[in-house]
Every structure is written in structure tokens, then in C-alpha cells.
Amino acid sequence: MPDKRRPGPDVKMVLVLRGELRLTPGKAAVQAAHAAVLLAEEAGRRRLPWLDSWRATGAKKIALVVPTLEELEQLRRKAVARGIPAIVVEDAGLTEVPAGTKTCLGLGPAPSAELDAITGELDLL
Amino acid sequence: MPDKRRPGPDVKMVLVLRGELRLTPGKAAVQAAHAAVLLAEEAGRRRLPWLDSWRATGAKKIALVVPTLEELEQLRRKAVARGIPAIVVEDAGLTEVPAGTKTCLGLGPAPSAELDAITGELDLL
């Protein structure tokens, strides 16, 4: 019998920060928040089928870390190739990093299995 | 002469985490992201006048910390009294904290001066 509390597939967002930037926890939180808002807006505009499932199952999110910008870009390309919504946050550069620094890759909402296939090896932030 | 790059008032979101919970940076980032998505959705639903200014000026956000749940609740009440949009994130409790734990207060988008009047004394996350 299906569990009515969790309709549809297991769907989440993955927020990937660049470890090499050594952001403070607050700065990392702001970058992740920025990515999540952009992804939710984009999913709404494109009426992506995963948005409702994501909301209905608690809007699950996880924050991970990649060591370098190169790996962040590779991950973005892998996501795009799989049809996973992907956005890169560039910081305005008012505080910890120069303006235009790519700080965070936001992925999803998308099925967890799809996301785990490309992010499953990354460490938690 | 007005600066065309910054239309309208200076508007931001404030994301307030509970320091006593000693969340990991990743967990804190996820709570802040959850608050930001809820605030943006709510502002869109209510067609709040500050949403467009907030987006047009880079969707500014800042992450702060309160020592205790009591202070988080006091801050929420002060925000509501001033007409500032306020939401409290309760964690699903799958990892670091028990289910239902209030982890984060999200405020805004609202004019920075309004927010600073009630959060100006708080430390950065």
C-alpha cells in the first residue's frame, strides 16, 4: 500500500559548495539559500513535474562540498546532460570573495536516484 | 541622481539560526535555504511590494545567529509586530536534531532599515 505522506518519487535538491573557498558557515548558508530560491523559481516557471513532489515530501535539501571549481563545473555538466536543473551562484563579492566568484552549484529538484548517481561520492558540507 | 542599478529601497532577507543547536555548516545551510524558499514563495503569493526590489538588487541575504529558542521567538514576535514577513523552520529530524525542532527564523524580504532595527545586535553565523 503506498504511503500517502510521500506521494511521487523521492525528490530533493542538492546544494554544492566549493570547499577551497573556506567560506564561513554564514556565507555558505547564504549561497546555498540563494541557489535554492533560484532553483525553486526556475522549477515553478518551467512547471517542472518534480516541484510538487518535492514540496509534498518536505522540500528535502542536502548541502555537499566539492574541492575545486573544476569539479563543480564537471558536476554541472553531468547534471545538465541528465536533464537535472542546475544553476551556479556567483557572489556579488561584497565580503569574503571577489565579485563574480562561483560559490555554489544548485541541483534539482530532481529524483534522488538521479542526483545520487552524480553526487553520491561527495562529502557533506 | 538615483542609482539605476538599485531601484527601490534597500531590501534583504535575514536568516537567523539557533546557535545552541550547534548545527554543522551543512545542516545550517539547509535550514537557511528552506527558510529562504518559504519566504520567497510567501512573498510571491501575497504579492508583497518588497519582492521585486529584493530580486532587482541581487536578492540580498544575511545569516545571523541567536543564542536560544526564547530569543528566536522574541525576534519573531518583534518582526510580526512590525509587519515583517516571518517564518520558522521546523526540522524533519532525520539527522542532527529531534523532529519538530525549530532551527531557523526567516525574515523578509523587507527594507534593511526595518530588519536592522530588530536584528542589528545579532552576530553573524
Side-chain angles (χ1 to χ4, degrees), chain B residues 20 36 62 66 70 118 124:
Chain B
E20 66 192 322
I62 189 163
V66 283
E70 187 178 11
I118 59 172
L124 291 168

Side-chain angles (χ1 to χ4, degrees), chain A residues 26 34 37 41 55 58-59 61 125, chain B residues 26 34 41 55 58-59 61 125:
Chain A
H34 200 74
V37 170
E41 287 179 349
R55 283 191 181 132
K61 302 169 200 73
L125 174 65
Chain B
H34 200 74
E41 287 180 349
R55 284 190 180 132
K61 300 170 199 74
L125 176 64

Side-chain angles (χ1 to χ4, degrees), chain B residues 19-34:
Chain B
E20 66 192 322
L21 296 179
R22 298 186 176 281
L23 301 175
T24 61
K27 187 77 176 180
V30 163
Q31 305 305 309
H34 200 74

